[in-house]
Amino acid sequence: MNIPVHKYDAVIVGAGGAGLRAAIQLSEAGLKTAVLSKVFPTRSHTVAAQGGVAASLGNSEEDHWHWHMYDTVKGSDWLGDQDAIEFMCRKANEVVVELEHYGMPFDRLDNGKIYQRPFGGHMSNFGERPVRRSCAAADRTGHAMLHAMYQRNVKANTQFFVEWMALDLIRDVDGTVLGVTAMEMETGEIHIFHAKATLFATGGAGRIFHSSTNAFINTGDGLGMAARAGIPLEDMEFWQFHPTGVAGAGVLITEGVRGEGGILRNSSGERFMERYAPNAKDLASRDVVSRAMATEIKEGRGCGPNKDYVLLDITHLEPATIMKRLPGIREIAIQFAGVDPIKTPIPVVPTCHYQMGGIPTNYSGRVVIPQGGDYNVPVMGFYAAGECACASVHGANRLGTNSLLDLLVFGKSSGETMVDDIKAMPASHRELPKDAADLSLARIARLDGQKSGENVHEVRLAMQRTMQGHAGVFRFKNLLAEGVEMISQVEERVKRTEIKDKSQVWNTARTEALELENLIEVAKATMVSANGRTESRGAHVRDDAVDTPEHPDGRNDQEWLKHTLWFRDGNRLDYKPVNMKPLTVETIALKKRAY
Amino acid sequence: MATVKFSIYRYDPDKDDKPYMQDISVELEPIDRKLLDAMVKLKAKDDSLAFRRSCREGVCGSDAMNINGKNGLACLTDMDSLAQPIVLRPLPGLPVVRDLIVDMTQFFKQYHSIKPYLINNDPAPERERLQSPEDREELNGLYECILCACCSTSCPSFWWNPDKFVGPAGLLAAYRFLADTRDQATNERLDNLEDPYRLFRCHSIMNCVDVCPKGLNPTKAIGKIKDMMVRRAV
């Protein structure tokens, strides 16, 4: 079969925030860059981010990157790498100001500077009291950001391949990455994108869970491709359940609502967060708030006929404030909860939102794997940034507004690294292996030829229900062990999916079947990693790792202060040390986490 | 559980000589509140039904289509607001690729033609450029556009001249930059639109305002661009 080959200096897979930010760097450096995206860039899921992006601009009150760093390390429950966290927090002001220069319509203070609001876990002076650090464009920060970055790419003449789905990573015998295979969705044709540097910016995989704030497109394509190509996935047991998804619908309600004064209440109207986090209250870290809500519901203090949600109350706020700062939330509440939050509190439940783990990288955006005793050996030609990557800045729990910061900082740094690396490479590309497209072609041929197989929709649902039931907000030893077994059964079903649609033109059934093959890798990695980690830390809380004087909140630093690495080959786990050494400041020492 | 009837425009160039309307029904639960929920159920039944979708909360702009004769987003359309059979067609005026998926090339070409990016040639300051809250407020109702194309594909002027008339979405974006105090390309932007077609094919029939799922008002923005042109001329 004759596969068309496109040669580029750089290929970026994904046109959300991280991909677009990296593309700006590469295009403005004059390198020949292709950006592949399953959807038109402004439809990427960054568009749905609401509350803001963290930067210690100090526009409303004193702030410092070092305080931000402290909050991020503490938020991560000390699992974040302190070099990467220092790097991100120090770079925050620079990347946010650049975004403003690109035209991003931030809200403004009276003095004309960028408006900042409080957010969960963001504190001044090393954890003292909430600080206004989240830079916001109303409650549409992600939308404003994604459009501003797409617009900057239009100016920089970036070349987009819109509605192309990357299928597999291409590596040669040395393991060097040489690009990807991809399918043009309109024609069903498979092409090769041959590159000196390949960046994955494919976002998250929240669709492994049944109840998720994530878009349909968040299917972990980069993680699936990386896993199939022998790259391990890091810390996949850590999934953030956002406290406030609309009950039933899953649609996100930003933490910015609580930043503007919103309060969580149980069935008796009590502001229950006062009991769980006396200092930060409703603005404690997300894992803490989600667990508190789940506990309230579990203990019978939930609201509604089935007592299965709590209420997010902003009825005490001025309607003008809601209209000005939270207009999108009001729309969402009316559309998806059927209530006008000016008059009626919004029913909310913890909902799967963000993947803290991902493809292991360092803070320069290089993908790193263990090799001969060194845990962080770069894979030549391969980079990752944004939610699909694990730098690791979020550790066991991400702070709100650090996701948009992550994609800006590491989108930029990976772009810069790629520019430097490409300039240092020989002018000609390394030779493509003869079998570069074989895996992808075999996957497509299997689907085309599958007879009496299983329905994609049903198998996906089985996976999502298993994940929801066995790896949710609270985790149980026996359910995890059972979950590992159940997910491998689902995997067998994924291998036999059948699609009725055999058209070459815009075959969305085929796309969904291919996406499911990526999702299942993420699901396996999650379940196996969660089963392996027998402590409680951040978003991963187990019934058999409880609060003791020796292990506060079940966290066991003696044995578990380490990153998980999951390998697809053999479904096996390995571990690597957490980098506790920042770049310039002193280590933020281990401490019990309280808000 | 209730049965809901649909009549859906189908066309797969791989096997169909011409488009046809398919009658199909689906069983829905009370939780399937939005049209997109129903369509996902339909697709589980017939996986060949092709449509775009992503965020399912009205912010990505993927699932625009013609619903009972009016353009809108499937994810923001309440099932109980729709008379049956629910008639779904692709957005009018753009070439159909397959089923409910249209070729949006011309739509984005027009968006790109207005230079949809901030132009400011001063050296970038170390910190943010300042903008008063009042000046920032001028961008409200403009920057929120999700490029779903509901507006442009409901506009007869865009149907007749999609290659020459920028259309409501592109013009809304043009005014978003004209209205931004940080942008310095006002004259260049107005020159770019001073043409019998690009701007002046808008006859203010306001179909765009009627269908915008984000409640934006392109006609008003177009009026403001026309005002700026007049003011510039005198």
Side-chain angles (χ1 to χ4, degrees), chain A residues 192-210:
Chain A
I192 285 174
F193 286 80
H194 188 187
K196 296 176 180 174
T198 302
L199 173 72
F200 275 8
T202 56
R207 286 273 158 181
I208 62 168
F209 287 93
H210 190 241

Side-chain angles (χ1 to χ4, degrees), chain B residues 37-50:
Chain B
D37 299 327
M39 292 180 72
V40 167
K41 286 240 163 117
L42 271 172
K43 191 167 171 60
K45 200 169 153 179
D46 174 1
D47 70 8
S48 71
L49 175 64

Side-chain angles (χ1 to χ4, degrees), chain A residues 131-146:
Chain A
V131 67
R132 281 166 277 186
R133 186 179 288 148
S134 168
C135 310
D139 52 4
R140 304 188 180 98
T141 311
H143 170 279
M145 179 184 280
L146 190 66

Side-chain angles (χ1 to χ4, degrees), chain A residues 444-515:
Chain A
I444 300 287
R446 199 281 298 166
L447 260 181
D448 283 345
Q450 183 73 46
K451 297 275 191 309
S452 54
E454 290 221 50
N455 178 297
V456 172
H457 182 79
E458 278 162 25
V459 179
R460 188 175 50 214
L461 207 55
M463 173 195 67
Q464 292 172 333
R465 294 213 163 116
T466 305
M467 295 309 295
Q468 199 76 30
H470 294 256
V473 177
F474 287 107
R475 294 168 174 182
F476 301 88
K477 187 179 180 201
N478 59 334
L479 287 181
L480 284 170
E482 215 175 272
V484 169
E485 195 50 44
M486 287 170 75
I487 278 295
S488 30
Q489 286 163 11
V490 176
E491 185 189 13
E492 293 307 309
R493 298 173 63 187
V494 172
K495 290 178 187 161
R496 295 192 313 267
T497 49
E498 182 189 353
I499 52 174
K500 304 288 182 200
D501 187 352
K502 303 292 183 193
S503 173
Q504 289 305 308
V505 181
W506 254 105
N507 188 330
T508 47
R510 174 149 73 190
T511 308
E512 289 188 27
L514 293 167
E515 287 173 336

